[in-house]
Amino acid sequence: MAIMTATTAMASKLSPLLRRSLHLHPYLRSSVTRNPALALTAATALVSYLLQLLWTHRARRVQRREHTDQHTQHGQHKPHPEFTDAQLQTLLAIADTLLPALSDAETAALMAGVESEGEEGVEKVREALRALARERPSEVPEFVETIGKLLPKVAPRVKVEELKAFLGLLSFRATAVMLTGRVTLFQDLGQREREEVLLGWKHSRFETLRRVFDSLTSLILSSYIRTSSVAEDGMQFPCAASAAAVPRGQDFAFTFLPPSASTLTALPAFDAIIIGSGSGGGVAAKTLSEAGMRVLVVEKGSYIPGAQALSQAEAMGRRYERQGLHSVSDGRIALLTASTFGGGSAINWAASLQTPMAVREEWAAKGLPLFTSEKFQESLDSVCKTMGVTLPSTHNAANTALLAGAAKLGLPHAAVPQNTGGSSTHACNHHCASGCLSGQKQGGPHCWLRLAAEHGAQFLVNTACTRIAFSPSGAATGVHLRLPNSTTDTFLPCSRIIIAAGSLQTPALLLRSGHVNPHLGRNLHLHPTALVHARFPTRVNPYDGNILTSVITAVPDAKLEAMCMLPFLHAPLLPWRSGTGYKALLAAYPRMPCFIAITRDRDAGGTVALDGESGEPVVAYQLSPRDAGTLYTAVAAMADVLLASGAERVVTNIRGLPDLDAGTDAAGVAAWKKELAAKGPGDAVLGSAHQMGSCRMGASAAHGVVDAHGRVWGKQGVWVADASVFPGACGVNPMVGVMAVAQGVAGGVVGGWKKEVGQKEGK
């Protein structure tokens, strides 16, 4: 009895605090007042959840220090356990809330715009929209498979564990009441009430709930868009038809080494091994092999012929890191990173911009005169010449709108050079983001790796480098490779290792290899990118033409550009405000191109640590208030441009920000911009296709991970040749800058090799 009295007294004291701090739903507020024990239960649930988050945060902090024995764990960990039945049912209920079956009236409204356009095949479009209106994710077997089994295997472990904990709390009445404000379980609520719960999380005063909402919606919408043919048809995205219309290019006949330990260990020793086949790895491979070096390029992704058309699910699964479900640890920034032969150069959008001189001057001022040297400029020009970088002669509807709006407003704008082999046209449409069907884009597979192969370079795919081996003096002695379908490593001896695995995998490899440097895995820049959609009065077929051929440079430290319109890349980042509203946005796809505001993040808010179980990289990033201000200024400028170009509505995915309609008076536009400027760093759902700086170049080991020649400070025989060596964010597509750095790094390796060979031959 005394315990019960004490419990009731404690709960009574907690009740006012809960009412004030948790902003509970009216029903729960009255329930807490009537039933103090319920308050204690709710408080216990909240404490449990916060402790779970605290544990997750602490785990992330110590992961950087957990490199002991991680090289033996890399690739050997068990897949994350799948969701329990209760967790999966709750997750599917959330998915069906985000994308519900619509009523007859809602379906009619969805088709109203189609009927007014009077286009050919309107009945076929109507039926596709009716199917989109009817479909729920839980009825799509491929979605259930992806969300239930694939997601726990490929998404970051910390993120999956947090999601499981949250779903577990939602699965029990005693804890769900704290998160939903209702005693009824979430999956047993009606659609209206479930939407109210989700919107409550989205706009909660508690950052934790906002973060969970952002993470859940991103994962669910991404998984749905990639697996639903009904969604693809409803969006009127002619994936197969548009791919079939592209004239196919001729793929080079690459030869790959068999993934056999006995075969590899029997080969003559290599003069150099390159880890990664992207922009840096490809240039390094060409440079070394042309000089006569015996070179092996190791790529953990697979080779896919460029002329092979892929579905959205295939493109994500076979071309992208974590099958396209990668993100920073809190889920708020989607990470678009390649995992394929050719790396980012195989799936980028052909934009070929040199590193701006103003940026290079900043880097040179940090004790790195390389970047303002004539030699570096020669490298920039050389790689552009090799790829046939050329200005485009035509622009699609989205790029035309950008240029027209900028011209009307008097803003600085320009065409973006393309690495299309000297051709001013590029026939891939937007499929270049899943491989270059036409073969015109001169990335790795069609240029650098082809040239390397012609000079004798050898290639190994589907193989991860788990660690680099060093002698006691710090000299590289070889690499440990995890071959496909193997549970043990194969060791290949080599005294020259060039790491070009990208800004996420390169620091992870060095950490697994036991390298210690205070800057390793830190100083990560992401070019945080906000998506802005514009609805035009008539259809513009946004998937036609080249992806990115124009840029507006009116906002300092930001670029305004067009976005790739493959649905799996942009649709998951459309704003969710209701199930009906989201499906209406999908249906508007033919007349609603997407644009991007890319921020040159000045404050390096990111880190790359190691997952304590798998040894894989875990990315953390916090957008700073300064960089958020730049981002929102760029979004405001983009809205001006799009309305000036004839858009009837501008749509953003910034929390609580309404759409901006054409015809809004000056006072209304000013109020909208004021509301936008007041948003915080966590209010925008963002993406990142450019990762830089996690092994930054420095004048000494006290200032960076590598020196001006790409050599890893404190080691011998190891170089880095990718965007991770950038001293900061470059502010433009990093491909050309990476290639120029790699050419310089590889040139230094060749010089050292020739000197060593000459000494051995007595010359």
Side-chain angles (χ1 to χ4, degrees):
M1 185 66 180
I3 295 177
M4 179 64 70
T5 301
T7 299
T8 302
M10 183 184 299
S12 299
K13 292 180 180 179
L14 281 171
S15 296
L17 176 62
L18 288 168
R19 288 198 300 271
R20 289 196 305 269
S21 64
L22 297 180
H23 192 55
L24 301 177
H25 293 266
Y27 175 82
L28 187 57
R29 285 204 299 267
S30 61
S31 298
V32 166
T33 302
R34 295 193 307 268
N35 187 353
L38 178 60
L40 183 60
T41 302
T44 303
L46 179 61
V47 170
S48 299
Y49 184 54
L50 292 177
L51 286 174
Q52 170 68 20
L53 292 179
L54 180 62
W55 175 87
T56 301
H57 176 67
R58 180 173 175 79
R60 287 200 296 265
R61 292 185 62 187
V62 301
Q63 281 158 0
R64 282 182 52 84
R65 300 190 293 271
E66 291 181 347
H67 59 265
T68 304
D69 295 332
Q70 282 184 328
H71 55 268
T72 62
Q73 297 173 10
H74 177 74
Q76 299 182 34
H77 67 285
K78 297 179 180 179
H80 309 315
E82 297 172 5
F83 296 111
T84 66
D85 288 343
Q87 290 170 345
L88 181 58
Q89 290 308 309
T90 302
L91 188 58
L92 291 176
I94 294 173
D96 286 349
T97 307
L98 294 171
L99 294 149
L102 305 187
S103 67
D104 290 343
E106 291 167 335
T107 302
L110 197 68
M111 295 189 293
V114 174
E115 293 173 0
S116 67
E117 290 175 11
E119 63 209 27
E120 293 182 8
V122 67
E123 186 51 44
K124 181 179 179 180
V125 174
R126 287 178 185 169
E127 182 50 44
L129 289 176
R130 279 192 285 266
L132 175 63
R134 289 192 302 265
E135 184 171 76
R136 299 185 302 168
S138 64
E139 299 168 346
V140 182
E142 295 84 359
F143 171 82
V144 177
E145 178 77 13
T146 295
I147 206 76
K149 295 183 178 180
L150 178 63
L151 189 152
K153 295 177 182 178
V154 302
R157 183 170 64 93
V158 168
K159 187 175 177 181
V160 173
E161 289 176 348
E162 182 179 292
L163 178 58
K164 287 180 178 179
F166 187 82
L167 293 173
L169 293 174
L170 277 179
S171 301
F172 295 95
R173 294 181 190 278
T175 50
V177 66
M178 175 60 65
L179 300 174
T180 67
R182 293 155 174 83
V183 293
T184 303
L185 289 177
F186 180 85
Q187 56 265 41
D188 296 330
L189 297 172
Q191 174 66 20
R192 182 183 62 81
E193 286 189 289
R194 286 192 290 185
E195 285 195 358
E196 288 178 356
V197 170
L198 294 187
L199 289 171
W201 298 344
K202 179 178 181 178
H203 300 291
S204 172
R205 68 178 63 181
F206 289 97
E207 190 272 343
T208 295
L209 289 179
R210 298 195 304 270
R211 179 158 60 91
V212 167
F213 173 86
D214 292 341
S215 182
L216 277 171
T217 53
S218 174
L219 290 172
I220 289 171
L221 297 178
S222 179
S223 299
Y224 175 71
I225 295 298
R226 71 184 280 173
T227 57
S228 172
S229 60
V230 167
E232 189 173 289
D233 292 342
M235 295 175 72
Q236 301 174 60
F237 171 62
C239 182
S242 64
V246 175
R248 293 301 196 270
Q250 183 65 44
D251 286 309
F252 181 79
F254 286 98
T255 300
F256 297 95
L257 291 174
S260 162
S262 58
T263 299
L264 293 174
T265 54
L267 292 172
F270 291 99
D271 295 316
I273 294 178
I274 301 172
I275 307 301
S277 64
S279 298
V283 171
K286 171 189 177 292
T287 304
L288 270 58
S289 59
E290 280 185 345
M293 296 180 70
R294 181 171 168 77
V295 177
L296 173 66
V297 179
V298 179
E299 169 57 52
K300 71 183 182 66
S302 60
Y303 170 70
I304 305 170
Q308 180 180 337
L310 302 176
S311 68
Q312 293 193 83
E314 289 172 332
M316 292 182 76
R318 299 176 64 186
R319 290 286 199 186
Y320 289 90
E321 187 78 19
R322 296 188 185 273
Q323 301 197 32
L325 296 173
H326 203 1
S327 71
V328 301
S329 56
D330 67 4
R332 282 201 170 143
I333 302 180
L335 296 174
L336 198 62
T337 56
S339 182
T340 188
F341 187 68
S345 73
I347 60 170
N348 69 13
W349 307 346
S352 302
L353 295 164
Q354 294 194 7
T355 311
M357 179 55 74
V359 174
R360 292 158 55 189
E361 289 172 347
E362 287 182 18
W363 295 353
K366 297 179 179 180
L368 298 167
L370 160 72
F371 290 105
T372 51
S373 68
E374 185 177 337
K375 181 179 179 181
F376 188 72
Q377 184 60 57
E378 289 174 352
S379 292
L380 290 169
D381 294 336
S382 172
V383 298
C384 287
K385 182 179 180 180
T386 300
M387 296 187 292
V389 171
T390 307
L391 287 172
S393 59
T394 60
H395 302 281
N396 69 357
N399 286 281
T400 297
L402 275 186
L403 294 172
K408 188 173 181 179
L409 298 176
L411 302 178
H413 57 281
V416 173
Q418 312 281 296
N419 63 331
T420 48
S423 173
S424 62
T425 60
H426 184 199
C428 272
N429 291 332
H430 286 219
H431 292 279
C432 249
S434 56
C436 189
L437 296 177
S438 71
Q440 291 175 280
K441 182 174 68 178
Q442 298 299 293
H446 292 106
C447 181
W448 304 103
L449 297 170
R450 171 182 61 81
L451 293 171
E454 290 174 349
H455 286 87
Q458 295 183 277
F459 306 95
L460 185 63
V461 295
N462 300 310
T463 299
C465 180
T466 59
R467 66 185 176 103
I468 299 169
F470 294 100
S471 70
S473 65
T477 59
V479 294
H480 292 265
L481 303 177
R482 182 61 54 87
L483 301 175
N485 303 315
S486 175
T487 57
T488 58
D489 285 351
T490 297
F491 179 74
L492 283 186
C494 189
S495 60
R496 299 177 191 85
I497 312 298
I498 298 178
I499 313 174
S503 294
L504 307 185
Q505 293 291 345
T506 290
L509 174 56
L510 286 171
L511 286 168
R512 289 196 301 270
S513 302
H515 186 57
V516 178
N517 181 289
H519 300 284
L520 180 57
R522 297 191 180 276
N523 313 301
L524 178 69
H525 295 262
L526 295 183
H527 277 176
T529 301
L531 276 61
V532 181
H533 288 77
R535 194 180 73 191
F536 286 83
T538 58
R539 66 183 300 143
V540 296
N541 294 338
Y543 46 79
D544 283 343
N546 296 355
I547 301 171
L548 196 168
T549 59
S550 64
V551 61
I552 298 173
T553 56
V555 179
D557 288 329
K559 298 288 187 292
L560 310 184
E561 299 172 339
M563 170 71 179
C564 178
M565 290 303 292
L566 292 182
F568 74 81
L569 291 178
H570 80 94
L573 296 181
L574 283 163
W576 187 90
R577 296 156 182 164
S578 70
T580 302
Y582 185 80
K583 286 194 172 182
L585 291 174
L586 295 182
Y589 172 83
R591 56 192 181 113
M592 199 167 73
C594 183
F595 303 84
I596 48 179
I598 301 178
T599 307
R600 183 190 175 210
D601 43 340
R602 292 285 191 160
D603 300 320
T607 61
V608 179
L610 291 181
D611 183 286
E613 177 184 316
S614 69
E616 284 295 306
V618 176
V619 183
Y621 185 92
Q622 292 294 324
L623 184 68
S624 74
R626 175 170 67 162
D627 291 331
T630 300
L631 182 75
Y632 294 145
T633 299
V635 170
M638 180 72 84
D640 288 337
V641 168
L642 296 175
L643 292 178
S645 69
E648 62 182 16
R649 173 170 291 180
V650 173
V651 180
T652 73
N653 195 358
I654 297 172
R655 197 182 321 276
L657 186 70
D659 297 338
L660 182 62
D661 290 335
T664 303
D665 60 24
V669 172
W672 184 86
K673 290 183 178 180
K674 182 178 180 181
E675 183 176 353
L676 169 61
K679 295 297 181 181
D683 286 328
V685 177
L686 307 173
S688 165
H690 307 155
Q691 299 89 37
M692 301 151 284
S694 54
C695 295
R696 74 178 180 190
M697 192 176 286
S700 70
H703 297 92
V705 179
V706 303
D707 67 11
H709 303 283
R711 298 174 297 205
V712 176
W713 287 109
K715 301 295 183 185
Q716 299 87 52
V718 181
W719 295 260
V720 177
D722 57 31
S724 71
V725 306
F726 281 8
C730 62
V732 297
N733 183 298
M735 178 183 71
V736 172
V738 168
M739 290 178 172
V741 167
Q743 188 175 83
V745 170
V749 175
V750 168
W753 171 75
K754 286 183 175 180
K755 182 178 180 180
E756 182 178 319
V757 170
Q759 290 174 344
K760 288 181 179 179
E761 294 178 352
K763 295 181 180 177

